[in-house]
Amino acid sequence: MRILGLTGGSGTGKSAASAAFAALGCGVIDADASYRTLCDTCKPMLDEIQSVFLDVLSPDSKLDRKKLGAIVFADPAKLLRLNAITHPYIRQAARDAFAVYEQAGCALCIYDAPVLFEAGADALCDKTCAVLADRATRIERIMARDDISQEYAALRVDAQKNDAFYAEKCDYIIQNDADLDSLYAQVRRIYDDMLR
């Protein structure tokens, strides 16, 4: 089985690209969804987070992600510390999911991870692909998806890695500014190339 790491900033359309790959029969693993599950179920990870950040678990022993977010997004050093705790658990969840897809005979699995390179998860992948879109398109998509102001959406976009970062690091680029037909055509080319 081959693994394609899929990454890119908020509002670029990674979910649409993942859906297009899934429609071709690819397995899809969402790193963010894995993290949310771990926040509810992985006691060893939660114990580590609690020991460092104190009082971030809810009464039902699940992670209070809003409370933790307020702590780590205000302090880059604390965010790095959190990532050092969580990334090994997220990578192990990915390995477990890859094994399930491989057992099922899947030829290509997509690992959708917004911080693929920052987490070192690109090491799990055979190739990497970024989904990119122009700034205005991303801002519009984020505003519509998250029901937030243009200013807040713009802050989010501007705080993330730029296109040059992805162009330098990725084997493939999907430019997702046009219609779904264009997206599907790009996905199909990458799918065919990966399985050649």
Side-chain angles (χ1 to χ4, degrees):
M1 180 179 79
R2 310 219 57 214
I3 299 168
L4 177 66
L6 189 71
T7 192
S10 186
T12 57
K14 288 185 304 299
S15 296
S18 288
F21 278 109
L24 294 172
C26 298
V28 175
I29 299 165
D30 181 334
D32 283 348
S34 296
Y35 174 65
R36 287 190 296 273
T37 299
L38 291 168
C39 288
D40 290 345
T41 61
C42 183
K43 186 164 176 9
M45 184 183 87
L46 295 174
D47 288 347
E48 276 191 68
I49 292 171
Q50 177 71 7
S51 73
V52 172
F53 295 100
L54 311 175
D55 196 33
V56 291
L57 297 185
S58 62
D60 60 356
S61 295
K62 293 181 180 175
L63 187 63
D64 184 334
R65 291 197 352 256
K66 278 192 177 162
K67 188 184 266 189
L68 181 60
I71 295 168
V72 300
F73 292 124
D75 183 339
K78 288 181 179 173
L79 179 59
L80 285 173
R81 183 72 186 101
L82 175 66
N83 289 341
I85 294 168
T86 60
H87 287 167
Y89 289 98
I90 296 167
R91 277 196 300 274
Q92 186 55 53
R95 284 190 200 96
D96 294 345
F98 293 148
V100 170
Y101 278 120
E102 190 157 30
Q103 194 94 25
C106 185
L108 178 60
C109 190
I110 307 305
Y111 186 50
D112 178 347
V115 291
L116 183 75
F117 295 104
E118 299 88 331
D122 57 307
L124 302 173
C125 305
D126 296 297
K127 299 265 183 160
T128 58
C129 175
V131 183
L132 305 180
D134 68 63
R135 184 175 180 274
T137 300
R138 291 176 63 191
I139 290 169
E140 277 178 39
R141 288 175 181 162
I142 295 168
M143 286 168 58
R145 182 189 68 202
D146 298 344
D147 193 27
I148 59 174
S149 71
Q150 183 173 355
E151 294 74 25
Y152 189 46
L155 281 173
R156 261 202 220 168
V157 168
D158 294 340
Q160 295 177 350
K161 302 284 188 208
N162 63 24
D163 290 357
F165 170 85
Y166 296 110
E168 181 185 309
K169 291 187 170 291
C170 289
D171 300 293
Y172 303 105
I173 298 290
I174 293 172
Q175 193 64 42
N176 189 24
D177 300 315
D179 58 19
L180 284 176
D181 287 343
S182 169
L183 174 68
Y184 292 151
Q186 293 176 78
V187 164
R188 183 73 209 208
R189 277 196 298 276
I190 293 166
Y191 172 85
D192 290 342
D193 190 62
M194 285 287 299
L195 295 182
R196 192 169 287 134

